[in-house]
Amino acid sequence: MQITKTEFVKSSANLNQCPKPDKPEYAFIGRSNVGKSSLINALTGNKSLAKISSTPGKTQLINHFLIHDEWYMVDLPGLGYAKISKTQRKKWEKMIYDYFLRRLNLLNTFLLVDSRHEPQKIDLDLMAWFGSNQLPFSIVFTKSDKMKPAALKANIEAYKKRLLEDWEELPELFITSAEKKTGLKEIKEFISKTNGIFHFNKL
Ligand code: GTP
Ligand code: MG
């Protein structure tokens, strides 16, 4: 799938403000600075679609982008951003959990993790929460360009091993670099396939 038409729809402070849930939707979540906004821009080939910043905490609202007038990509605020107040964090968490639980057209969430890091508790906890709420998710390893191939491979293998301690089956995994534009085709193919299922179910 080649993405040629993208449109920023709106930023919402809560679920009620989100666009009508009448199109397939895919969310991008992960720790602050992991590269969510960069990945959305790389996938769409539109550098200025989602706001990117080297300062964590840039994305603060639920941002909807409409692709080909057919489906949504959603850029969510970063998890675990240390420099916000406890009250602000509680507010974000409520907004995000509410969104996941009640967004009826959400077909999959891409949980982004930095390919250089070991599995982080905050990510493993979120996966467990997705699991207990039967919410589908995939894992996207980001910034793979920052590692040598052998070290990258070793890290991914170690990550999978850790996942298999909690899960019987591995979720779908994607290895990406927004910088080098790798791993993007696979994500778009996954989305394209999932969109097909959505249309089929609606009939
Ligand atoms: P928040 O909105 O703050 O939660 O961050 P985010 O997850 O949206 O991260 P963002 O896309 O803003 O990227 C954070 C930083 O990482 C920026 O400086 C990006 O240029 C850099 N970055 C993102 N993806 C990649 C990548 O694949 N490779 C490299 N080398 N840098 C990347
Ligand atoms: Mg962002």
Side-chain angles (χ1 to χ4, degrees):
M1 170 178 38
Q2 176 109 24
I3 295 179
T4 50
K5 189 176 180 200
T6 57
E7 183 192 336
F8 167 69
V9 180
K10 69 186 293 199
S11 296
S12 311
N14 57 50
L15 181 78
N16 295 335
Q17 290 175 10
C18 289
K20 214 167 112 196
D22 59 355
K23 295 178 180 66
E25 182 157 313
Y26 301 87
F28 294 78
I29 186 100
R31 297 175 68 193
S32 212
N33 215 42
V34 71
K36 299 174 290 294
S37 304
S38 302
L39 182 69
I40 289 179
N41 290 349
L43 284 167
T44 57
N46 182 344
K47 268 190 251 166
S48 50
L49 192 61
K51 302 265 179 316
I52 297 174
S53 162
S54 52
T55 327
K58 176 72 190 167
T59 310
Q60 306 209 347
L61 296 160
I62 303 171
N63 297 294
H64 275 83
F65 304 102
L66 182 60
I67 316 298
H68 293 158
D69 301 315
E70 280 173 4
W71 54 278
Y72 290 114
M73 269 187 186
V74 173
D75 192 10
L76 293 168
L79 287 174
Y81 175 45
K83 287 192 194 124
I84 54 168
S85 69
K86 227 176 168 176
T87 333
Q88 180 64 26
R89 182 177 303 177
K90 281 264 161 315
K91 224 171 92 185
W92 274 17
E93 282 177 2
K94 187 183 169 338
M95 164 177 86
I96 294 171
Y97 287 130
D98 229 41
Y99 165 82
F100 283 135
L101 290 173
R102 296 175 39 221
R103 187 72 177 158
L104 298 174
N105 58 328
L106 178 64
L107 299 194
N108 189 59
T109 298
F110 294 97
L111 170 57
L112 276 62
V113 300
D114 192 315
S115 51
R116 295 168 297 176
H117 300 160
E118 286 176 6
Q120 306 282 311
K121 185 173 185 308
I122 192 165
D123 295 321
L124 297 172
D125 286 351
L126 185 62
M127 290 177 218
W129 184 81
F130 282 144
S132 58
N133 287 288
Q134 293 177 304
L135 294 166
F137 68 93
S138 317
I139 298 178
V140 178
F141 294 97
T142 65
K143 308 192 186 184
S144 65
D145 57 284
K146 294 206 177 199
M147 291 193 89
K148 296 221 169 77
L152 175 68
K153 197 166 167 234
N155 256 17
I156 309 283
E157 285 313 310
Y159 206 104
K160 283 187 191 169
K161 208 169 150 203
R162 175 65 190 86
L163 289 178
L164 288 170
E165 289 174 20
D166 297 344
W167 298 84
E168 269 175 37
E169 253 180 80
L170 288 173
E172 194 106 24
L173 304 174
F174 300 96
I175 303 168
T176 67
S177 162
E179 188 83 17
K180 298 265 184 268
K181 314 270 181 280
T182 50
L184 307 176
K185 199 174 99 215
E186 289 78 3
I187 296 182
K188 286 191 269 187
E189 272 166 13
F190 174 90
I191 291 176
S192 187
K193 201 176 73 192
T194 312
N195 279 344
I197 296 168
F198 181 82
H199 292 304
F200 180 76
N201 280 344
K202 267 175 60 177
L203 292 173

